[in-house]
Amino acid sequence: MCGIAGLMLRNSGAIGKKLVGMLDGLQHRGPDSTGFALYRQPAADRMVMRILLKCSAETHEGKSRASKVLQILRGFGVEVLSDSYTQEHYRLEIAPVPAVKDLSYAVENQAGVEILSFGSALEIIKDVGSSLDISKRYGIEAFTGTHCIGHVRLATESIVDASRAHPFWAYGFSDVAIVHNGQITNYWKMKRRLQKTGYQFRTDNDSELIAVYLADKLDRGFSLEEVLARSVDELDGTFSFLVSTADGFGFAKDHLAAKPMVVLEKDDMVAIASEEVALNRLFPGESLDTYEPFPGAYKTWQLSTLAMSA
Amino acid sequence: MATIDAGDVGISEVNLKIRELAEKGENEIVLYNPDARHLISVGVIGKSKIKIKGSAGYFCGGLSDGPTVEIQNNAGWGVADNIMSGTVIVGKNAGAIPGVGMRGGKLVVKGNLGSRAGAMMKDGVIIGGGKANFMAGFMMMGGRLIVCGDCEGGVGQNMISGTIYVGGEIQSLGADAKFEEMEEGELEDIYQLLDEFDLPHPESFRKIVPEGKQLHYAKYERKLSPAKISVPEGPMWDKRLVEDIAVKADLGRYRVRSFGSARHIPTFDDIAFKITPEMVLSQKNPRARCRLDTVLGNKFASNPLRLKMPILIAPMSYGALSKPCKVALAKASSIAGIAINNGEGGMLPEERAAAKQMIYQCLSGRYGFSPHDMLRADAIEIYISQGAKPGLGGQLMGSKVTPEIAYLRGLPQGIDIRSPSRHPDVLGADDLIIKIQEFREVTAGRVPISLKIGAGRVNNDIKIALKDTVDFIEIDGMEGGTGASSSVVTDNVGIPSLAAIVQAMSGLDEIGCGGQLQVVQMGGIRDGVDAAKAIALGAHAVAVGTATLVAMGCTGCMTCHTGNCPRGIATQNPELVSKLEVDCAAARVASFLDSMGTEMAAIALACGVPSVHGLCRDHLVALSPQAAEITGLPLAREGDMLA
């Protein structure tokens, strides 16, 4: 029960600031927590890992967890380029690694922390509070990049905390993230199926399932578009969700279409939100040429083609 | 012409300005910088023309009577919801449920119509110049829906009355809808309407009307010979069960029953008050020495309910109950200084006149729902579900759907009414916030807005209600009565009030919000002692339904649904209705309510507190291990004297 928003720009721009505004426009749909998945041009020489320490980095326990993370990374032979923290959030820049999933499981299982995102383009920042609060706390507005997705949450079943805030990183797969508004009713069935193939889940939130489900399909070699097409038939319930990868972006909407979504496509950008009011935050005072996708609809955009079409 | 720049102003301020100008009779009001924000121009009464220069968000122009609203660009969900008259024109596309619950007037969308266009509309015309998304005319109850372009699947799904015309391709018809030949002059009428709004003429139209198969139960329960049973009667088999099976064998479906559940569930009888003997003996004239007065719904509303004691009369519809019964209840509520809830089916003028304070219920079917009655109400309650039948809408069998009741509800006479199980425009907690804000806009934040839920997952639901910014919540336990419901649901779905109120309190405590939302507990409250127990467990007030009917003579024969109530209470048969004398019934109910007040006061004083709101869990004990487990109260020990 929430609001979702996403934005892709042909040319890198102030996506942080724009997304903060869009989510502020949707905050009435979800006062509990807010989150941002922000993408810049993928770097060839570094990856960013964002970690939730689950206690302040200034405490003894926080410091011990952070040093444990560094120790595990060293154990994997990973070069740490830099690290920094804000409250419970620990950010590391490291030299690129191939085994994202193995490294991630090792860090989480051994250090008692949670990885919020990992990739060469993606950073996820999410916490309890409003869009404007979190922006101030973590400096979201300063972020420039190519695309982003975001979420405001009104918790209905699982508890309110940073772990269960959206976006969800598709755990183990670099640069894939989702935000979701709705409810997946075959959650337990799908979760058990994925667990049998070796995936671990960190929350009881059905949106995490979507992230892992999509990532698993991408890993099997399906295109983003094919994955979304399948999701509309294989996931049961009412949902509208957005998915983003290092260079792509898309939405899917269930057959009941009980969850709202409005799309704005322009030559140099695509913007999607639960309500048009968020799109108007990008273009105050303008009448926008938007459309509402039909039930069972899905669509993807690639950064490269968005650039070419201009 | 007046102009408003909505750019840096809150929507409430914009709406106040629009209403002020409309009341002054301003012809034309132009609104700049709407930026697709929600609830623009809701609750406007009058003939003004309002031009919105841009796009609008949810419920634009809704709950209004008379104005012409022109939206230059797109409109969000539920544009023109529940309008009584006037015209709303959308320059481009409209989101889902355009014209939901319309009761008159015109909605013209030049572009595409979102899904479920005209859901539950009762009257008026909706015109879509382009395509229509799925389930156009969903549960339509009257009026006309004209779609010039193609329609996605499920056109006319479960429509009850009214007509749909489609100029383009139709992917599929919905359940219980059928094609019908156009009559002479119908096409000309449509073209004339299209000309009025400069819309092109499709070459032809197909007409869709209700098939009517689902408007009545296929079979009704017959009077069977008394059940015989040879096995020893016990917990496994008894006469009631044998009769139940015989009836189901005859009907081939669930049984519709009334009054409420008769099976054993834990009740307030399973807990008691700890009272010291000298306290019991020392109380004289308890009403004079104990405060019962209660303010309900003052969290956001400027005019909360002010009750002489923490009791409400529970929502029971005119339809399920007779008119004299409703009026008697209203009178009794006024005498007792409390509030009555009107129940489903619109506000009965005679009931409103007799009640000093009335809670106006908004249900899924929006029968008779009107902005005028919202303004006449002292509180508005959004019904999500009912204790006796969580997850189902109300039922009213055709024998009780008289011409007057059908007219009040905007439905055909004599059908078996099965109300929708969910609101057309509230599909989640997120949409609900916007609906609540809409009601606040219409009533300018004066009256409390509450939420009523059937007790199920109370622990989660109360957290949602808190976030949805309601003034108070009503929680209805599974013991709650009903005028008609599937017996399977009445007996087996939901949790008892005893468990519900405990869950409500713990739910709020879990998120550190204890005491931040007033709870009204209903379902199974039969006297002042039950009420005092619910209050001691954390309720701010209670509501009584069935007990008030018993006070006026109901014998609990469980035949309310048939309309043959021998006491004239739950019937529309004029001969039976005439048996109920309004003033006598009102006096009996008022006297019963007064006794509840005295009981509450006596218990509070005996527990050593000067106000009924001073009662708390420390005053209670559990009488059974089961009740102790449910409530977390200690089991009664030796030495505790029980009331």
Side-chain angles (χ1 to χ4, degrees):
Chain A
M1 302 298 150
C2 314
I4 55 178
L7 176 69
M8 182 178 258
L9 303 175
R10 188 178 68 195
N11 302 313
S12 184
I15 52 165
K17 189 167 186 207
K18 287 177 194 288
L19 189 57
V20 168
M22 288 172 85
L23 294 180
D24 181 50
L26 289 176
Q27 203 83 56
H28 57 271
R29 297 187 67 87
D32 289 336
S33 58
T34 309
F36 306 80
L38 304 157
Y39 290 81
R40 48 168 75 88
Q41 292 287 357
D45 58 346
R46 70 190 57 203
M47 294 178 84
V48 175
M49 184 185 266
R50 290 202 71 118
I51 287 173
L52 187 67
L53 293 171
K54 298 191 195 169
C55 63
S56 169
E58 316 248 9
T59 62
H60 176 72
E61 184 57 34
K63 282 178 188 146
S64 133
R65 284 181 196 172
S67 70
K68 182 79 188 165
V69 170
L70 291 172
Q71 194 189 327
I72 295 160
L73 291 174
R74 275 198 295 274
F76 269 76
V78 176
E79 186 194 350
V80 176
L81 305 172
S82 72
D83 68 340
S84 62
Y85 58 81
T86 315
Q87 292 165 1
E88 296 188 16
H89 292 245
Y90 186 39
R91 180 181 185 275
L92 294 132
E93 288 197 15
I94 61 173
V97 290
V100 169
K101 196 155 129 191
D102 292 345
L103 181 63
S104 302
Y105 280 154
V107 167
E108 282 205 342
N109 294 341
Q110 292 172 37
V113 298
E114 198 172 300
I115 301 180
L116 296 183
S117 68
F118 191 8
S120 57
L122 165 70
E123 291 194 42
I124 290 178
I125 297 126
K126 57 184 184 178
D127 207 344
V128 175
S130 72
S131 178
L132 298 176
D133 286 346
I134 291 171
S135 174
K136 245 181 247 152
R137 253 182 277 161
Y138 300 99
I140 310 283
E141 290 208 350
F143 200 100
T144 58
T146 49
H147 57 298
C148 55
I149 58 177
H151 188 270
V152 294
R153 176 164 189 242
L154 191 159
T156 52
E157 278 162 79
S158 62
I159 56 176
V160 176
D161 61 11
S163 301
R164 290 167 182 83
H166 296 219
F168 280 93
W169 174 44
Y171 196 79
F173 298 89
S174 58
D175 295 313
V176 182
I178 72 114
V179 288
H180 162 228
N181 176 23
Q183 193 174 27
I184 305 299
T185 43
N186 58 348
Y187 169 73
W188 294 106
K189 205 164 138 189
M190 299 292 286
K191 183 173 177 176
R192 272 196 298 276
R193 202 178 288 170
L194 287 161
Q195 278 171 330
K196 273 188 198 158
T197 60
Y199 290 101
Q200 294 179 7
F201 285 80
R202 286 138 331 137
T203 71
D204 48 2
N205 190 304
D206 55 356
S207 309
E208 183 188 10
L209 174 92
I210 301 179
V212 177
Y213 165 87
L214 296 176
D216 175 59
K217 287 273 190 294
L218 288 170
D219 191 48
R220 288 162 194 264
F222 292 102
S223 71
L224 187 59
E225 184 142 8
E226 286 166 340
V227 175
L228 292 179
R230 280 177 167 246
S231 74
V232 169
D233 291 323
E234 291 184 2
L235 297 175
D236 194 25
T238 60
F239 53 83
S240 284
F241 68 81
L242 304 178
V243 57
S244 49
T245 63
D247 59 352
F249 168 78
F251 73 79
K253 194 170 171 177
D254 74 292
H255 290 289
L256 294 169
K259 293 294 160 191
M261 183 190 279
V262 188
V263 182
L264 173 69
E265 291 189 72
K266 286 180 170 254
D267 287 345
D268 58 351
M269 63 160 299
V270 183
I272 307 176
S274 296
E275 298 170 7
E276 192 161 323
V277 66
L279 304 178
N280 259 114
R281 286 299 187 99
L282 302 172
F283 303 97
E286 278 186 41
S287 281
L288 303 174
D289 202 6
T290 60
Y291 67 90
E292 198 180 357
F294 277 75
Y298 56 89
K299 188 165 179 176
T300 61
W301 293 265
Q302 293 292 320
L303 263 179
S304 50
T305 50
L306 197 67
M308 268 162 34
S309 69
Chain B
M1 191 185 83
T3 60
I4 301 172
D5 185 347
D8 294 316
V9 192
I11 284 303
S12 300
E13 210 174 307
V14 170
N15 281 334
L16 282 177
K17 189 98 199 189
I18 292 175
R19 256 174 266 157
E20 196 184 289
L21 289 165
E23 268 165 37
K24 275 192 206 150
E26 178 64 54
N27 282 334
E28 192 168 307
I29 303 162
V30 184
L31 184 81
Y32 293 97
N33 295 310
D35 286 355
R37 281 183 289 166
H38 302 324
L39 312 174
I40 297 173
S41 188
V42 299
V44 178
I45 315 285
K47 299 279 180 200
S48 300
K49 184 175 214 173
I50 300 142
K51 290 185 166 176
I52 297 168
K53 295 292 184 189
S55 291
Y58 281 35
F59 302 125
C60 181
L63 288 164
S64 293
D65 192 359
T68 298
V69 180
E70 280 184 31
I71 303 155
Q72 184 190 19
N73 212 47
N74 300 321
W77 282 33
V79 61
D81 88 289
N82 218 121
I83 59 169
M84 308 297 287
S85 73
T87 307
V88 177
I89 302 166
V90 181
K92 286 183 181 166
N93 302 327
I97 42 168
V100 56
M102 260 173 69
R103 296 190 54 194
K106 289 177 192 146
L107 166 63
V108 182
V109 176
K110 302 236 164 149
N112 300 330
L113 291 165
S115 60
R116 295 167 282 134
M120 296 167 205
M121 71 186 284
K122 313 287 186 300
D123 207 347
V125 189
I126 298 177
I127 305 171
K131 295 186 286 188
N133 208 326
F134 68 103
M135 282 192 202
F138 173 57
M139 291 201 87
M140 194 171 163
M141 295 161 185
R144 286 182 290 171
L145 168 62
I146 301 165
V147 184
C148 294
D150 301 341
C151 281
E152 292 285 305
V155 178
Q157 173 83 19
N158 293 116
M159 65 189 290
I160 292 162
S161 185
T163 320
I164 304 172
Y165 302 95
V166 181
E169 299 283 319
I170 296 168
Q171 200 186 70
S172 66
L173 282 188
D176 218 28
K178 66 172 184 189
F179 288 113
E180 195 178 81
E181 285 302 311
M182 300 266 273
E183 282 168 35
E184 218 181 286
E186 265 185 297
L187 191 62
E188 287 68 36
D189 275 0
I190 297 173
Y191 284 156
Q192 211 177 334
L193 269 169
L194 295 179
D195 288 343
E196 203 182 313
F197 299 98
D198 297 322
L199 287 164
H201 294 187
E203 264 178 39
S204 63
F205 277 94
R206 296 190 78 183
K207 177 180 172 185
I208 297 147
V209 294
E211 194 171 14
K213 281 188 180 163
Q214 293 178 11
L215 300 183
H216 296 274
Y217 278 109
K219 245 176 152 181
Y220 296 96
E221 197 172 317
R222 296 181 298 162
K223 187 118 185 113
L224 299 176
S225 47
K228 281 185 191 150
I229 180 164
S230 303
V231 295
E233 287 198 48
M236 190 67 194
W237 291 97
D238 63 19
K239 279 200 182 110
R240 239 184 70 180
L241 186 60
V242 170
E243 181 196 286
D244 228 38
I245 292 172
V247 171
K248 286 177 190 166
D250 197 47
L251 288 178
R253 63 162 165 87
Y254 56 86
R255 264 185 114 168
V256 173
R257 288 263 294 281
S258 44
F259 191 72
S261 176
R263 61 174 286 199
H264 177 75
I265 48 172
T267 69
F268 290 106
D269 289 342
D270 298 313
I271 60 172
F273 284 99
K274 291 186 278 193
I275 294 169
T276 54
E278 54 276 25
M279 285 294 221
V280 179
L281 297 175
S282 71
Q283 36 172 324
K284 276 179 203 142
N285 191 10
R287 287 296 282 275
R289 295 190 296 122
C290 178
R291 292 194 61 175
L292 295 176
D293 56 312
T294 301
V295 176
L296 185 63
N298 55 350
K299 188 166 181 185
F300 303 104
S302 55
N303 297 354
L305 295 170
R306 293 183 192 281
L307 311 170
K308 284 207 178 128
M309 51 184 167
I311 301 176
L312 303 171
I313 294 188
M316 297 179 283
S317 76
Y318 170 48
L321 302 183
S322 67
K323 192 183 283 183
C325 171
K326 285 297 280 175
V327 175
L329 289 172
K331 285 191 169 185
S333 75
S334 297
I335 297 167
I338 63 171
I340 188 170
N341 187 316
N342 76 315
E344 187 160 27
M347 195 183 272
L348 181 64
E350 294 92 326
E351 184 188 4
R352 175 63 270 198
K356 284 200 180 122
Q357 295 183 83
M358 176 175 270
I359 304 173
Y360 183 44
Q361 220 180 18
C362 172
L363 296 100
S364 55
R366 306 285 156 83
Y367 307 138
F369 200 69
S370 115
H372 300 290
D373 289 339
M374 289 176 83
L375 294 172
R376 275 191 275 268
D378 300 294
I380 297 171
E381 173 191 289
I382 301 179
Y383 165 109
I384 301 295
S385 62
Q386 184 177 342
K389 48 189 173 199
L392 298 179
Q395 292 204 27
L396 191 65
M397 304 296 265
S399 58
K400 293 170 98 171
V401 185
T402 62
E404 188 195 3
I405 287 165
Y407 172 78
L408 276 172
R409 296 188 177 210
L411 288 169
Q413 186 191 332
I415 65 167
D416 291 329
I417 301 175
R418 278 165 281 182
S419 303
S421 60
R422 64 196 304 172
H423 288 266
D425 45 9
V426 178
L427 299 177
D430 36 23
D431 303 325
L432 181 55
I433 293 184
I434 306 170
K435 196 78 207 163
I436 289 165
Q437 285 172 347
E438 184 190 19
F439 287 2
R440 285 224 168 88
E441 285 298 317
V442 173
T443 56
R446 282 188 299 270
V447 303
I449 314 283
S450 73
L451 203 62
K452 179 186 171 185
I453 59 160
R457 307 180 320 164
V458 178
N459 187 288
N460 286 325
D461 291 345
I462 194 154
K463 292 173 192 161
I464 298 171
L466 182 83
K467 291 175 211 166
D468 276 343
T469 71
V470 292
D471 286 283
F472 64 95
I473 183 170
E474 290 134 309
I475 299 172
D476 195 9
M478 73 183 289
E479 310 92 310
T482 173
S485 165
S486 151
S487 63
V488 181
V489 177
T490 303
D491 284 341
N492 298 292
V493 179
I495 62 170
S497 284
L498 192 62
I501 183 67
V502 173
Q503 269 199 32
M505 293 302 119
S506 64
L508 291 175
D509 284 342
E510 277 168 26
I511 52 172
C513 296
Q516 289 185 23
L517 185 60
Q518 292 173 337
V519 176
V520 175
Q521 185 63 47
M522 57 175 90
I525 306 287
R526 300 150 302 175
D527 56 24
V529 182
D530 284 349
K533 287 173 182 173
I535 287 166
L537 284 172
H540 191 64
V542 299
V544 277
T546 310
T548 60
L549 304 183
V550 173
M552 66 170 77
C554 162
T555 62
C557 67
M558 300 184 101
T559 57
C560 322
H561 61 289
T562 64
N564 297 325
C565 171
R567 298 303 178 109
I569 294 168
T571 175
Q572 303 304 330
N573 176 333
E575 206 174 301
L576 296 171
V577 168
S578 68
K579 291 187 182 178
L580 192 71
E581 210 279 303
V582 174
D583 287 328
C584 173
R588 288 189 62 82
V589 175
S591 169
F592 167 68
L593 291 168
D594 193 54
S595 81
M596 284 183 76
T598 307
E599 284 167 345
M600 279 192 279
I603 284 170
L605 292 174
C607 289
V609 290
S611 155
V612 69
H613 294 292
L615 289 170
C616 66
R617 287 173 61 93
D618 290 346
H619 298 124
L620 295 171
V621 288
L623 298 181
S624 70
Q626 193 185 24
E629 183 71 22
I630 289 173
T631 58
L633 291 171
L635 264 171
R637 289 161 305 168
E638 207 178 333
D640 291 331
M641 176 156 173
L642 309 176

